[in-house]
PDB file of all heavy atoms in Angstrom:
ATOM      1  N   GLN A 164     128.744  54.288 116.978  1.00  0.00           N
ATOM      2  CA  GLN A 164     129.411  55.482 116.458  1.00  0.00           C
ATOM      3  C   GLN A 164     128.880  56.780 116.996  1.00  0.00           C
ATOM      4  O   GLN A 164     129.055  57.850 116.444  1.00  0.00           O
ATOM      5  CB  GLN A 164     129.461  55.477 114.950  1.00  0.00           C
ATOM      6  CG  GLN A 164     130.176  54.254 114.333  1.00  0.00           C
ATOM      7  CD  GLN A 164     130.403  54.431 112.859  1.00  0.00           C
ATOM      8  OE1 GLN A 164     130.928  55.423 112.318  1.00  0.00           O
ATOM      9  NE2 GLN A 164     129.876  53.446 112.117  1.00  0.00           N
ATOM     10  N   ASN A 165     128.136  56.622 118.193  1.00  0.00           N
ATOM     11  CA  ASN A 165     127.569  57.853 118.844  1.00  0.00           C
ATOM     12  C   ASN A 165     126.508  58.547 117.995  1.00  0.00           C
ATOM     13  O   ASN A 165     126.343  59.793 118.087  1.00  0.00           O
ATOM     14  CB  ASN A 165     128.589  58.792 119.341  1.00  0.00           C
ATOM     15  CG  ASN A 165     129.323  58.312 120.574  1.00  0.00           C
ATOM     16  OD1 ASN A 165     128.700  57.611 121.356  1.00  0.00           O
ATOM     17  ND2 ASN A 165     130.563  58.600 120.690  1.00  0.00           N
ATOM     18  N   ILE A 166     125.897  57.858 117.084  1.00  0.00           N
ATOM     19  CA  ILE A 166     124.750  58.395 116.349  1.00  0.00           C
ATOM     20  C   ILE A 166     123.453  57.813 117.004  1.00  0.00           C
ATOM     21  O   ILE A 166     123.239  56.598 116.941  1.00  0.00           O
ATOM     22  CB  ILE A 166     124.795  58.017 114.850  1.00  0.00           C
ATOM     23  CG1 ILE A 166     126.080  58.517 114.212  1.00  0.00           C
ATOM     24  CG2 ILE A 166     123.549  58.662 114.138  1.00  0.00           C
ATOM     25  CD1 ILE A 166     126.310  60.021 114.207  1.00  0.00           C
ATOM     26  N   MET A 167     122.630  58.646 117.601  1.00  0.00           N
ATOM     27  CA  MET A 167     121.414  58.215 118.239  1.00  0.00           C
ATOM     28  C   MET A 167     120.461  57.624 117.160  1.00  0.00           C
ATOM     29  O   MET A 167     120.192  58.331 116.189  1.00  0.00           O
ATOM     30  CB  MET A 167     120.793  59.278 119.011  1.00  0.00           C
ATOM     31  CG  MET A 167     121.512  59.624 120.347  1.00  0.00           C
ATOM     32  SD  MET A 167     120.951  61.173 121.087  1.00  0.00           S
ATOM     33  CE  MET A 167     121.894  62.397 120.081  1.00  0.00           C
ATOM     34  N   ALA A 168     120.034  56.444 117.364  1.00  0.00           N
ATOM     35  CA  ALA A 168     119.005  55.888 116.466  1.00  0.00           C
ATOM     36  C   ALA A 168     117.600  56.146 117.049  1.00  0.00           C
ATOM     37  O   ALA A 168     117.404  56.149 118.246  1.00  0.00           O
ATOM     38  CB  ALA A 168     119.227  54.370 116.312  1.00  0.00           C
ATOM     39  N   VAL A 169     116.673  56.417 116.142  1.00  0.00           N
ATOM     40  CA  VAL A 169     115.243  56.599 116.611  1.00  0.00           C
ATOM     41  C   VAL A 169     114.375  55.647 115.872  1.00  0.00           C
ATOM     42  O   VAL A 169     114.214  55.686 114.663  1.00  0.00           O
ATOM     43  CB  VAL A 169     114.840  58.046 116.286  1.00  0.00           C
ATOM     44  CG1 VAL A 169     113.352  58.251 116.619  1.00  0.00           C
ATOM     45  CG2 VAL A 169     115.724  59.029 116.995  1.00  0.00           C
ATOM     46  N   ALA A 170     113.821  54.659 116.610  1.00  0.00           N
ATOM     47  CA  ALA A 170     112.944  53.663 116.023  1.00  0.00           C
ATOM     48  C   ALA A 170     111.536  54.218 115.785  1.00  0.00           C
ATOM     49  O   ALA A 170     111.035  54.914 116.723  1.00  0.00           O
ATOM     50  CB  ALA A 170     112.909  52.419 116.928  1.00  0.00           C
ATOM     51  N   LYS A 171     110.953  53.963 114.680  1.00  0.00           N
ATOM     52  CA  LYS A 171     109.625  54.618 114.337  1.00  0.00           C
ATOM     53  C   LYS A 171     108.785  53.611 113.575  1.00  0.00           C
ATOM     54  O   LYS A 171     109.353  52.673 113.011  1.00  0.00           O
ATOM     55  CB  LYS A 171     109.858  55.890 113.619  1.00  0.00           C
ATOM     56  CG  LYS A 171     110.635  55.737 112.245  1.00  0.00           C
ATOM     57  CD  LYS A 171     110.966  57.171 111.686  1.00  0.00           C
ATOM     58  CE  LYS A 171     111.529  57.021 110.299  1.00  0.00           C
ATOM     59  NZ  LYS A 171     111.968  58.306 109.730  1.00  0.00           N
ATOM     60  N   HIS A 172     107.510  53.801 113.606  1.00  0.00           N
ATOM     61  CA  HIS A 172     106.678  54.802 114.180  1.00  0.00           C
ATOM     62  C   HIS A 172     105.743  54.113 115.204  1.00  0.00           C
ATOM     63  O   HIS A 172     104.828  53.505 114.813  1.00  0.00           O
ATOM     64  CB  HIS A 172     105.783  55.473 113.127  1.00  0.00           C
ATOM     65  CG  HIS A 172     106.587  56.050 111.944  1.00  0.00           C
ATOM     66  ND1 HIS A 172     107.023  55.249 110.898  1.00  0.00           N
ATOM     67  CD2 HIS A 172     106.947  57.319 111.622  1.00  0.00           C
ATOM     68  CE1 HIS A 172     107.655  56.018 110.018  1.00  0.00           C
ATOM     69  NE2 HIS A 172     107.626  57.289 110.451  1.00  0.00           N
ATOM     70  N   PHE A 173     106.060  54.237 116.428  1.00  0.00           N
ATOM     71  CA  PHE A 173     105.384  53.505 117.522  1.00  0.00           C
ATOM     72  C   PHE A 173     103.930  53.908 117.648  1.00  0.00           C
ATOM     73  O   PHE A 173     103.586  55.111 117.533  1.00  0.00           O
ATOM     74  CB  PHE A 173     106.103  53.794 118.856  1.00  0.00           C
ATOM     75  CG  PHE A 173     105.592  53.000 119.985  1.00  0.00           C
ATOM     76  CD1 PHE A 173     106.154  51.753 120.305  1.00  0.00           C
ATOM     77  CD2 PHE A 173     104.542  53.470 120.789  1.00  0.00           C
ATOM     78  CE1 PHE A 173     105.638  50.998 121.316  1.00  0.00           C
ATOM     79  CE2 PHE A 173     104.065  52.662 121.852  1.00  0.00           C
ATOM     80  CZ  PHE A 173     104.641  51.423 122.106  1.00  0.00           C
ATOM     81  N   PRO A 174     103.061  52.932 117.880  1.00  0.00           N
ATOM     82  CA  PRO A 174     103.217  51.496 118.049  1.00  0.00           C
ATOM     83  C   PRO A 174     103.182  50.703 116.717  1.00  0.00           C
ATOM     84  O   PRO A 174     102.927  49.495 116.722  1.00  0.00           O
ATOM     85  CB  PRO A 174     102.073  51.152 119.001  1.00  0.00           C
ATOM     86  CG  PRO A 174     100.972  52.078 118.661  1.00  0.00           C
ATOM     87  CD  PRO A 174     101.625  53.353 118.308  1.00  0.00           C
ATOM     88  N   GLY A 175     103.335  51.400 115.634  1.00  0.00           N
ATOM     89  CA  GLY A 175     103.299  50.656 114.363  1.00  0.00           C
ATOM     90  C   GLY A 175     102.313  51.138 113.325  1.00  0.00           C
ATOM     91  O   GLY A 175     101.131  51.325 113.687  1.00  0.00           O
ATOM     92  N   ILE A 176     102.821  51.562 112.141  1.00  0.00           N
ATOM     93  CA  ILE A 176     101.881  52.067 111.093  1.00  0.00           C
ATOM     94  C   ILE A 176     101.850  51.269 109.874  1.00  0.00           C
ATOM     95  O   ILE A 176     101.358  51.649 108.839  1.00  0.00           O
ATOM     96  CB  ILE A 176     102.209  53.599 110.794  1.00  0.00           C
ATOM     97  CG1 ILE A 176     103.567  53.743 110.155  1.00  0.00           C
ATOM     98  CG2 ILE A 176     102.068  54.459 112.029  1.00  0.00           C
ATOM     99  CD1 ILE A 176     103.908  55.109 109.691  1.00  0.00           C
ATOM    100  N   GLY A 177     102.397  50.064 109.949  1.00  0.00           N
ATOM    101  CA  GLY A 177     102.491  49.203 108.777  1.00  0.00           C
ATOM    102  C   GLY A 177     101.088  48.810 108.244  1.00  0.00           C
ATOM    103  O   GLY A 177     100.944  48.434 107.105  1.00  0.00           O
ATOM    104  N   ARG A 178     100.093  48.831 109.107  1.00  0.00           N
ATOM    105  CA  ARG A 178      98.709  48.399 108.698  1.00  0.00           C
ATOM    106  C   ARG A 178      97.915  49.558 107.992  1.00  0.00           C
ATOM    107  O   ARG A 178      96.764  49.320 107.586  1.00  0.00           O
ATOM    108  CB  ARG A 178      97.941  47.958 109.895  1.00  0.00           C
ATOM    109  CG  ARG A 178      98.522  46.758 110.634  1.00  0.00           C
ATOM    110  CD  ARG A 178      97.799  46.607 111.994  1.00  0.00           C
ATOM    111  NE  ARG A 178      98.435  45.598 112.882  1.00  0.00           N
ATOM    112  CZ  ARG A 178      97.939  44.350 113.038  1.00  0.00           C
ATOM    113  NH1 ARG A 178      97.009  43.922 112.276  1.00  0.00           N
ATOM    114  NH2 ARG A 178      98.506  43.555 113.887  1.00  0.00           N
ATOM    115  N   THR A 179      98.500  50.743 108.025  1.00  0.00           N
ATOM    116  CA  THR A 179      97.721  51.884 107.462  1.00  0.00           C
ATOM    117  C   THR A 179      97.913  52.129 105.988  1.00  0.00           C
ATOM    118  O   THR A 179      98.997  51.846 105.480  1.00  0.00           O
ATOM    119  CB  THR A 179      98.036  53.167 108.280  1.00  0.00           C
ATOM    120  OG1 THR A 179      99.416  53.482 108.176  1.00  0.00           O
ATOM    121  CG2 THR A 179      97.705  52.946 109.708  1.00  0.00           C
ATOM    122  N   THR A 180      96.938  52.764 105.383  1.00  0.00           N
ATOM    123  CA  THR A 180      96.940  53.037 103.984  1.00  0.00           C
ATOM    124  C   THR A 180      96.795  54.593 103.704  1.00  0.00           C
ATOM    125  O   THR A 180      97.028  54.988 102.583  1.00  0.00           O
ATOM    126  CB  THR A 180      95.837  52.342 103.184  1.00  0.00           C
ATOM    127  OG1 THR A 180      94.508  52.686 103.758  1.00  0.00           O
ATOM    128  CG2 THR A 180      96.016  50.848 103.307  1.00  0.00           C
ATOM    129  N   LEU A 181      96.357  55.347 104.716  1.00  0.00           N
ATOM    130  CA  LEU A 181      96.285  56.785 104.527  1.00  0.00           C
ATOM    131  C   LEU A 181      97.602  57.448 105.037  1.00  0.00           C
ATOM    132  O   LEU A 181      98.046  57.133 106.186  1.00  0.00           O
ATOM    133  CB  LEU A 181      95.104  57.358 105.303  1.00  0.00           C
ATOM    134  CG  LEU A 181      94.901  58.845 105.437  1.00  0.00           C
ATOM    135  CD1 LEU A 181      94.729  59.479 104.050  1.00  0.00           C
ATOM    136  CD2 LEU A 181      93.810  59.300 106.396  1.00  0.00           C
ATOM    137  N   ASP A 182      98.139  58.370 104.317  1.00  0.00           N
ATOM    138  CA  ASP A 182      99.398  59.023 104.720  1.00  0.00           C
ATOM    139  C   ASP A 182      99.056  60.139 105.739  1.00  0.00           C
ATOM    140  O   ASP A 182      98.316  61.041 105.465  1.00  0.00           O
ATOM    141  CB  ASP A 182     100.000  59.690 103.430  1.00  0.00           C
ATOM    142  CG  ASP A 182     101.394  60.239 103.724  1.00  0.00           C
ATOM    143  OD1 ASP A 182     101.741  60.432 104.872  1.00  0.00           O
ATOM    144  OD2 ASP A 182     102.097  60.477 102.729  1.00  0.00           O
ATOM    145  N   SER A 183      99.736  60.083 106.888  1.00  0.00           N
ATOM    146  CA  SER A 183      99.441  61.087 107.967  1.00  0.00           C
ATOM    147  C   SER A 183      99.951  62.394 107.697  1.00  0.00           C
ATOM    148  O   SER A 183      99.662  63.427 108.354  1.00  0.00           O
ATOM    149  CB  SER A 183      99.956  60.492 109.287  1.00  0.00           C
ATOM    150  OG  SER A 183     101.329  60.247 109.216  1.00  0.00           O
ATOM    151  N   HIS A 184     100.821  62.563 106.595  1.00  0.00           N
ATOM    152  CA  HIS A 184     101.161  63.852 106.126  1.00  0.00           C
ATOM    153  C   HIS A 184      99.925  64.645 105.607  1.00  0.00           C
ATOM    154  O   HIS A 184      99.844  65.882 105.643  1.00  0.00           O
ATOM    155  CB  HIS A 184     102.163  63.845 104.961  1.00  0.00           C
ATOM    156  CG  HIS A 184     103.521  63.422 105.406  1.00  0.00           C
ATOM    157  ND1 HIS A 184     103.868  62.131 105.494  1.00  0.00           N
ATOM    158  CD2 HIS A 184     104.639  64.214 105.670  1.00  0.00           C
ATOM    159  CE1 HIS A 184     105.184  62.064 105.931  1.00  0.00           C
ATOM    160  NE2 HIS A 184     105.646  63.286 106.064  1.00  0.00           N
ATOM    161  N   LEU A 185      98.856  63.908 105.161  1.00  0.00           N
ATOM    162  CA  LEU A 185      97.703  64.492 104.666  1.00  0.00           C
ATOM    163  C   LEU A 185      96.583  64.604 105.621  1.00  0.00           C
ATOM    164  O   LEU A 185      95.959  65.676 105.790  1.00  0.00           O
ATOM    165  CB  LEU A 185      97.234  63.628 103.435  1.00  0.00           C
ATOM    166  CG  LEU A 185      98.199  63.413 102.292  1.00  0.00           C
ATOM    167  CD1 LEU A 185      97.668  62.489 101.232  1.00  0.00           C
ATOM    168  CD2 LEU A 185      98.688  64.814 101.706  1.00  0.00           C
ATOM    169  N   ASP A 186      96.352  63.553 106.412  1.00  0.00           N
ATOM    170  CA  ASP A 186      95.335  63.585 107.412  1.00  0.00           C
ATOM    171  C   ASP A 186      95.514  62.412 108.354  1.00  0.00           C
ATOM    172  O   ASP A 186      96.471  61.622 108.189  1.00  0.00           O
ATOM    173  CB  ASP A 186      93.880  63.548 106.778  1.00  0.00           C
ATOM    174  CG  ASP A 186      92.853  64.289 107.636  1.00  0.00           C
ATOM    175  OD1 ASP A 186      93.046  64.395 108.833  1.00  0.00           O
ATOM    176  OD2 ASP A 186      91.846  64.689 107.093  1.00  0.00           O
ATOM    177  N   MET A 187      94.721  62.308 109.382  1.00  0.00           N
ATOM    178  CA  MET A 187      94.916  61.383 110.447  1.00  0.00           C
ATOM    179  C   MET A 187      94.267  60.052 110.154  1.00  0.00           C
ATOM    180  O   MET A 187      93.069  59.856 110.067  1.00  0.00           O
ATOM    181  CB  MET A 187      94.329  61.872 111.782  1.00  0.00           C
ATOM    182  CG  MET A 187      94.687  60.935 112.975  1.00  0.00           C
ATOM    183  SD  MET A 187      93.771  61.356 114.405  1.00  0.00           S
ATOM    184  CE  MET A 187      94.368  63.009 114.721  1.00  0.00           C
ATOM    185  N   PRO A 188      95.088  58.999 109.952  1.00  0.00           N
ATOM    186  CA  PRO A 188      94.578  57.635 109.839  1.00  0.00           C
ATOM    187  C   PRO A 188      93.991  57.082 111.071  1.00  0.00           C
ATOM    188  O   PRO A 188      94.469  57.488 112.241  1.00  0.00           O
ATOM    189  CB  PRO A 188      95.811  56.828 109.366  1.00  0.00           C
ATOM    190  CG  PRO A 188      96.856  57.767 108.998  1.00  0.00           C
ATOM    191  CD  PRO A 188      96.518  58.965 109.776  1.00  0.00           C
ATOM    192  N   GLU A 189      93.044  56.204 111.045  1.00  0.00           N
ATOM    193  CA  GLU A 189      92.582  55.534 112.175  1.00  0.00           C
ATOM    194  C   GLU A 189      92.738  53.969 112.040  1.00  0.00           C
ATOM    195  O   GLU A 189      92.666  53.524 110.853  1.00  0.00           O
ATOM    196  CB  GLU A 189      91.043  55.838 112.431  1.00  0.00           C
ATOM    197  CG  GLU A 189      90.819  57.245 112.861  1.00  0.00           C
ATOM    198  CD  GLU A 189      89.362  57.447 113.320  1.00  0.00           C
ATOM    199  OE1 GLU A 189      88.501  56.599 113.002  1.00  0.00           O
ATOM    200  OE2 GLU A 189      89.086  58.484 113.956  1.00  0.00           O
ATOM    201  N   LEU A 190      93.009  53.353 113.079  1.00  0.00           N
ATOM    202  CA  LEU A 190      93.336  51.929 112.988  1.00  0.00           C
ATOM    203  C   LEU A 190      92.673  51.216 114.146  1.00  0.00           C
ATOM    204  O   LEU A 190      92.855  51.584 115.326  1.00  0.00           O
ATOM    205  CB  LEU A 190      94.871  51.696 113.107  1.00  0.00           C
ATOM    206  CG  LEU A 190      95.389  50.295 112.781  1.00  0.00           C
ATOM    207  CD1 LEU A 190      95.056  49.877 111.417  1.00  0.00           C
ATOM    208  CD2 LEU A 190      96.904  50.262 112.941  1.00  0.00           C
ATOM    209  N   SER A 191      91.767  50.297 113.819  1.00  0.00           N
ATOM    210  CA  SER A 191      91.035  49.544 114.846  1.00  0.00           C
ATOM    211  C   SER A 191      91.735  48.230 115.088  1.00  0.00           C
ATOM    212  O   SER A 191      91.493  47.210 114.466  1.00  0.00           O
ATOM    213  CB  SER A 191      89.637  49.296 114.394  1.00  0.00           C
ATOM    214  OG  SER A 191      88.893  48.562 115.376  1.00  0.00           O
ATOM    215  N   VAL A 192      92.691  48.232 116.063  1.00  0.00           N
ATOM    216  CA  VAL A 192      93.381  47.052 116.422  1.00  0.00           C
ATOM    217  C   VAL A 192      93.502  47.013 117.983  1.00  0.00           C
ATOM    218  O   VAL A 192      93.645  48.113 118.602  1.00  0.00           O
ATOM    219  CB  VAL A 192      94.819  46.892 115.860  1.00  0.00           C
ATOM    220  CG1 VAL A 192      94.812  46.693 114.358  1.00  0.00           C
ATOM    221  CG2 VAL A 192      95.682  48.254 116.168  1.00  0.00           C
ATOM    222  N   THR A 193      93.409  45.841 118.590  1.00  0.00           N
ATOM    223  CA  THR A 193      93.489  45.758 119.964  1.00  0.00           C
ATOM    224  C   THR A 193      94.975  45.735 120.427  1.00  0.00           C
ATOM    225  O   THR A 193      95.895  45.601 119.665  1.00  0.00           O
ATOM    226  CB  THR A 193      92.870  44.474 120.554  1.00  0.00           C
ATOM    227  OG1 THR A 193      93.522  43.348 120.021  1.00  0.00           O
ATOM    228  CG2 THR A 193      91.348  44.406 120.024  1.00  0.00           C
ATOM    229  N   LYS A 194      95.175  45.911 121.720  1.00  0.00           N
ATOM    230  CA  LYS A 194      96.519  45.843 122.289  1.00  0.00           C
ATOM    231  C   LYS A 194      97.115  44.428 122.008  1.00  0.00           C
ATOM    232  O   LYS A 194      98.247  44.284 121.677  1.00  0.00           O
ATOM    233  CB  LYS A 194      96.502  46.047 123.746  1.00  0.00           C
ATOM    234  CG  LYS A 194      97.828  46.037 124.426  1.00  0.00           C
ATOM    235  CD  LYS A 194      97.844  46.145 125.912  1.00  0.00           C
ATOM    236  CE  LYS A 194      99.134  45.863 126.533  1.00  0.00           C
ATOM    237  NZ  LYS A 194      99.107  45.729 128.012  1.00  0.00           N
ATOM    238  N   ASN A 195      96.301  43.383 122.137  1.00  0.00           N
ATOM    239  CA  ASN A 195      96.760  42.058 121.740  1.00  0.00           C
ATOM    240  C   ASN A 195      97.206  41.897 120.304  1.00  0.00           C
ATOM    241  O   ASN A 195      98.211  41.213 120.010  1.00  0.00           O
ATOM    242  CB  ASN A 195      95.693  40.988 122.054  1.00  0.00           C
ATOM    243  CG  ASN A 195      95.502  40.802 123.567  1.00  0.00           C
ATOM    244  OD1 ASN A 195      96.347  41.129 124.347  1.00  0.00           O
ATOM    245  ND2 ASN A 195      94.341  40.295 123.943  1.00  0.00           N
ATOM    246  N   ASP A 196      96.427  42.577 119.409  1.00  0.00           N
ATOM    247  CA  ASP A 196      96.857  42.560 117.952  1.00  0.00           C
ATOM    248  C   ASP A 196      98.221  43.216 117.811  1.00  0.00           C
ATOM    249  O   ASP A 196      99.068  42.676 117.122  1.00  0.00           O
ATOM    250  CB  ASP A 196      95.900  43.385 117.200  1.00  0.00           C
ATOM    251  CG  ASP A 196      94.525  42.717 117.070  1.00  0.00           C
ATOM    252  OD1 ASP A 196      94.373  41.513 117.117  1.00  0.00           O
ATOM    253  OD2 ASP A 196      93.519  43.521 116.935  1.00  0.00           O
ATOM    254  N   LEU A 197      98.476  44.349 118.452  1.00  0.00           N
ATOM    255  CA  LEU A 197      99.769  45.017 118.433  1.00  0.00           C
ATOM    256  C   LEU A 197     100.861  44.141 119.003  1.00  0.00           C
ATOM    257  O   LEU A 197     101.933  44.040 118.419  1.00  0.00           O
ATOM    258  CB  LEU A 197      99.671  46.388 119.131  1.00  0.00           C
ATOM    259  CG  LEU A 197      98.777  47.405 118.509  1.00  0.00           C
ATOM    260  CD1 LEU A 197      98.695  48.636 119.447  1.00  0.00           C
ATOM    261  CD2 LEU A 197      99.284  47.889 117.137  1.00  0.00           C
TER     262      LEU A 197
END
């Protein structure tokens, strides 16, 4: 229907518990993990 979709949040934030609205989360995962 000509509505551009935007997939988010690359490369994935499902593993994080800190909200980036507040501060920067860090995630220690390898490329293979991703």
Side-chain angles (χ1 to χ4, degrees):
Q164 297 190 56
N165 285 326
I166 304 297
M167 286 167 278
V169 177
K171 58 187 186 185
H172 306 79
F173 187 89
I176 63 174
R178 301 171 187 260
T179 59
T180 57
L181 174 63
D182 188 344
S183 54
H184 287 85
L185 305 176
D186 211 334
M187 188 191 299
E189 291 190 344
L190 191 59
S191 178
V192 289
T193 66
K194 183 186 169 191
N195 287 340
D196 293 331
L197 292 174

